[in-house]
Amino acid sequence: MKSYEKLLESNKEWATGEIEKDPGYFDRLAHLQKPEFLWIGCSDSRVPADRITQTQPGEIFVHRNVANLVVNTDVNLLAVLDFAVTLLKVKHVIVCGHYGCGGIQAAITKQDYKPVLNMWLRHIKDVYRLHQTELDSITDEEQRSDRLVEWNVREQVYNLAKTTIIQRCWKKEQRPDLHGWVYGLKDDLINPVFEMKAGTAIDNLYQYDNL
Ligand SMILES: [Zn+2]
């Protein structure tokens, strides 16, 4: 059996098992999507949002990309954000990075990863530059990249707050709260490093007053 065929086989086993456990499971699921959370995580295969939070299908709306970035020209991310905030009316948006992130580590090096990846990783280099004095002073490479993981998560939460999607919702409905978390691959624990409650004042420069 080829590796991808094993996935299809496992899917059949899983579906049969779920129906045996609870005959109404898929019926209920098909008619219900009312997640309270939008999760913006890293594409890394070791950080599955539902598994590490023990949530069920229907509970978390998920977007993942390399190093969990919120880029204001990324139509994919913005469409997910708009859909989750405006239509699904999520109460919390969580940006979850992880220690040992390959995207973050790559951004610290001088390696040329060719145009597309260079373009993406540039956003992380820009976060480094904001905290260069502190980061340069950390001599241990792993510690330095893990510290950048934390600063990156915080910066992506700020990036969410800069969007009109979030600002409009804060103004009209006092939601969602924004959270910056970091998951540890070594201990499986999530470290909450930053939070912006709905309505938190942000730098004047990024505020829109005609929402
Ligand atoms: Zn990662």
Side-chain angles (χ1 to χ4, degrees):
M1 191 184 292
K2 297 203 172 74
S3 59
Y4 72 90
E5 287 171 338
K6 177 80 177 68
L7 298 184
L8 296 170
E9 212 43 52
S10 300
N11 164 255
K12 273 188 207 148
E13 271 173 39
W14 173 77
T16 311
E18 290 302 307
I19 286 175
E20 274 171 13
K21 269 193 290 181
D22 174 4
Y25 177 77
F26 290 108
D27 251 357
R28 277 203 315 280
L29 205 59
H31 294 102
L32 181 77
Q33 188 185 227
K34 192 81 186 71
E36 196 177 319
F37 312 97
L38 166 61
W39 176 280
I40 299 170
C42 183
S43 299
D44 192 305
S45 62
R46 298 165 296 178
V47 195
D50 53 350
R51 219 150 143 164
I52 64 174
T53 56
Q54 287 205 308
T55 43
Q56 297 301 312
E59 289 188 74
I60 302 192
F61 200 64
V62 175
H63 177 84
R64 291 166 72 174
N65 61 40
V66 172
N68 42 271
L69 300 184
V70 176
V71 177
N72 76 327
T73 49
D74 178 354
V75 176
N76 185 352
L77 176 280
L78 294 174
V80 170
L81 181 67
D82 201 8
F83 190 84
V85 171
T86 311
L87 298 173
L88 294 174
K89 299 190 178 295
V90 296
K91 295 190 179 114
H92 303 273
V93 180
I94 297 156
V95 177
C96 189
H98 64 102
Y99 295 117
C101 181
I104 297 285
Q105 287 165 348
I108 294 179
T109 71
K110 291 181 176 173
Q111 172 83 30
D112 172 10
Y113 287 97
K114 304 291 176 292
V116 176
L117 265 180
N118 287 346
M119 191 165 66
W120 192 252
L121 298 177
R122 240 294 299 284
H123 298 290
I124 306 169
K125 288 179 187 282
D126 291 343
V127 176
Y128 192 110
R129 185 168 164 265
L130 287 174
H131 307 283
Q132 190 148 13
T133 312
E134 185 206 322
L135 290 166
D136 279 353
S137 74
I138 304 171
T139 48
D140 183 88
E141 268 181 36
E142 191 180 330
Q143 277 178 19
R144 188 164 71 235
S145 89
D146 283 351
R147 184 66 179 139
L148 180 56
V149 165
E150 293 173 352
W151 281 124
N152 180 57
V153 151
R154 180 183 284 248
E155 200 60 32
Q156 305 318 315
V157 169
Y158 280 132
N159 286 345
L160 285 171
K162 290 175 194 169
T163 66
T164 52
I165 297 167
I166 291 295
Q167 287 187 29
R168 191 176 297 116
C169 199
W170 276 5
K171 190 176 174 183
K172 295 186 174 156
E173 301 182 38
Q174 277 299 303
R175 68 168 179 87
D177 295 333
L178 309 178
H179 309 267
W181 294 354
V182 179
Y183 171 71
L185 296 170
K186 289 177 184 163
D187 59 9
D188 285 336
L189 293 173
I190 293 171
N191 177 18
V193 295
F194 187 56
E195 189 174 86
M196 280 180 99
K197 293 266 186 218
T200 302
I202 62 164
D203 192 321
N204 249 330
L205 192 61
Y206 299 106
Q207 283 179 23
Y208 298 92
D209 56 11
N210 58 339
L211 294 161

